[in-house]
Amino acid sequence: MAKIGRWVGTAAALVLCCSAGACASSAASAGTGGGGSGGTVTIGESTTLSGSIASLGQTGLQGVQLAAADLDAKGGLLGKQIKVVSADDAATPATGVSNVRTMLGADHAVAVFGPVASSVAAAEEQVTNAQKIPMFFHTSNDIGLTTTTYSKYVFQDVPNTVMEPRAAAAYLAQQVSGKTITIATFAPNYSFGQDTVSAFIQALKAEKVNYTLVKQEFPPLGATDINSYLAAIESASPQYVFNAQFGGDLVAFTKQARSYGLFAKTKVIAMYDYSVLQSLGSAAPTGAIGFDRAPYWTYTDSAMQSFVSEFRAKYGSAPSEWAILGYAAVQQWAWAVQKSGSFSGDAVSAALSGASVPTILGDQQIRACDHQTELPEYVGTVAGQSGSSSDPTHLWDSSAFAAPFDQIDYTCAQMQALQKS
């Protein structure tokens, strides 16, 4: 795993610090917190920037930085330029907590964004809640973040671990049209993976899919050798494999599974989003079922098209879902600051709760009962060839499926019952 580094700088100029201590000192001297007029205001992004799932954190951070840069280009917020400080949590809760404490203590951050892993998010959430600082989850999505550990300072900006598998199950139900099928599951062995698989199985029952569960495997998050787990799946000969892995772990799974010939006889259902498909290139599994929280190629409105063009010009690539959702999360926070005229957590929370906020994803409704953004989840089939001569990435066939929010998430009554349990 790469050495843990910490980045700090204004949105326009990012400077790599050599050590956490040096960064804390630099940030504290440069920032002015949220009080007064002029100067800067700091926001933090603690996320995974190294290891097998680093692509999620890296591109998510790009989205946050680009959103801050765009706000600064228009004069900033309440007369202040926005400074983004970031740090690598290495997908470790203790490191994430340390990062956030530094951001709030030394950097005087007024809002925190990230991280990738839900286990890290749950730990960081305790720190921001205690200091009444708003936290925006634009990648991690375990249902527990807005139920068992929920507070009014927490905002969920992506489909949660109930919504995503329900959407995949609804798409599968359409594909099999009442036929009896065999299924195996594969997921990283922590809260996100276990909750996602459990929700998928429950959703199959709700969709009245006739299935037999023939195998379940839970390798460790970030495991590099998954041959024994793959062998167990292959020997069970399922027609479908629901895989809750993501990022580099899913890329590694796909490459190793191909060596077993798994894709020749089994259809895999997994988070085949832009980043994963870009990494796989021509090795993308044609016919596999992919899901994505914000596939840019399914949006036709001018706001998204302008964002994609701007992102390509700055970073040389199309935006991942993590970049898009990171950008939209900053838009939510900025809208609340402008509406309330304050950077305080209480003011931002009150402004956003139940509000409809304009973003690059369109007007986003934020549910008052749990601060879940009412987003759809997208599902499609991986295409056999790239859709553009300038980008070799195999995306999806043209008929993407958008599962409506009100059909895939719990109701407010269900969420509030979980919050009290």
Side-chain angles (χ1 to χ4, degrees):
M1 181 173 289
K3 181 180 179 181
I4 296 173
R6 183 164 183 273
W7 295 73
V8 59
T10 65
L14 194 66
V15 179
L16 176 63
C17 291
C18 296
S19 69
C23 288
S25 175
S26 173
S29 61
T32 60
S37 60
T40 62
V41 66
T42 300
I43 60 175
E45 169 88 355
S46 175
T47 191
T48 302
L49 302 174
S50 60
S52 64
I53 58 174
S55 65
L56 285 73
Q58 291 167 353
T59 58
L61 175 59
Q62 289 174 336
V64 168
Q65 291 170 333
L66 186 55
D70 285 348
L71 288 165
D72 284 345
K74 297 176 181 177
L77 277 176
L78 305 185
K80 295 179 182 295
Q81 292 288 288
I82 302 163
K83 183 173 67 178
V84 180
V85 295
S86 61
D88 183 5
D89 63 26
T92 304
T95 304
V97 166
S98 177
N99 290 343
V100 171
R101 284 178 173 158
T102 298
M103 289 173 179
L104 302 188
D107 302 330
H108 308 293
V110 297
V112 176
F113 298 80
V116 172
S118 293
S119 56
V120 180
E124 293 182 354
E125 189 180 28
Q126 306 308 308
V127 180
T128 53
N129 285 347
Q131 299 197 37
K132 301 182 179 180
I133 297 296
M135 185 159 193
F136 297 83
F137 296 125
H138 59 85
T139 309
S140 50
N141 70 335
D142 191 274
I143 188 80
L145 299 173
T146 50
T147 56
T148 54
T149 57
Y150 170 75
S151 88
K152 70 176 185 179
Y153 305 105
V154 167
F155 295 88
Q156 180 55 270
D157 296 309
V158 295
N160 61 41
T161 46
V162 168
M163 298 164 64
E164 210 151 49
R166 280 185 169 184
Y171 185 83
L172 180 60
Q174 291 183 3
Q175 297 289 305
V176 300
S177 301
K179 298 177 183 175
T180 299
I181 58 174
T182 56
I183 287 182
T185 68
F186 198 91
N189 190 19
Y190 77 116
S191 59
F192 164 84
Q194 294 162 356
D195 287 354
T196 299
V197 166
S198 175
F200 179 70
I201 297 301
Q202 292 177 32
L204 290 180
K205 296 175 182 175
E207 294 287 342
K208 302 188 185 307
V209 175
N210 298 316
Y211 73 93
T212 299
L213 186 61
V214 296
K215 199 68 179 178
Q216 291 191 284
E217 294 293 331
F218 292 93
L221 177 66
T224 55
D225 183 0
I226 57 172
N227 283 303
S228 62
Y229 303 96
L230 273 171
I233 292 288
E234 195 274 339
S235 65
S237 301
Q239 292 171 284
Y240 293 87
V241 173
F242 177 76
N243 187 341
Q245 289 182 302
F246 50 86
D249 286 351
L250 180 56
V251 172
F253 168 90
T254 303
K255 291 179 177 177
Q256 292 184 48
R258 189 175 294 281
S259 69
Y260 280 85
L262 186 68
F263 293 103
K265 49 192 175 184
T266 299
K267 186 162 286 191
V268 175
I269 308 165
M271 192 177 286
Y272 284 113
D273 60 10
Y274 179 75
S275 294
V276 170
L277 294 173
Q278 184 184 39
S279 296
L280 289 170
S282 61
T286 301
I289 296 173
F291 48 92
D292 188 312
R293 300 169 186 178
Y296 74 87
W297 61 92
T298 67
Y299 293 83
T300 58
D301 59 287
S302 59
M304 179 61 75
Q305 291 177 355
S306 295
F307 171 74
V308 172
S309 296
E310 181 186 14
F311 194 92
R312 282 188 187 275
K314 185 171 182 62
Y315 298 111
S317 172
S320 70
E321 59 184 312
W322 320 112
I324 292 169
L325 293 161
Y327 191 100
V330 174
Q331 286 184 301
Q332 282 189 3
W333 166 74
W335 179 90
V337 169
Q338 290 173 323
K339 182 175 179 59
S340 65
S342 172
F343 292 106
S344 86
D346 285 320
V348 168
S349 175
L352 286 178
S353 185
S356 178
V357 180
T359 73
I360 55 172
L361 294 163
D363 290 344
Q364 292 188 315
Q365 186 71 33
I366 301 171
R367 199 162 63 172
C369 65
D370 59 355
H371 290 179
Q372 170 70 55
T373 298
E374 298 185 2
L375 292 162
E377 174 74 24
Y378 296 85
V379 191
T381 299
V382 177
Q385 58 186 8
S386 67
S388 168
S389 58
S390 61
D391 187 343
T393 304
H394 292 216
L395 300 176
W396 298 348
D397 290 340
S398 57
S399 56
F401 170 72
F405 171 81
D406 60 356
Q407 294 181 23
I408 56 176
D409 198 12
Y410 286 155
T411 64
C412 269
Q414 289 173 308
M415 294 299 286
Q416 288 168 332
L418 290 171
Q419 289 168 359
K420 295 173 182 176
S421 63

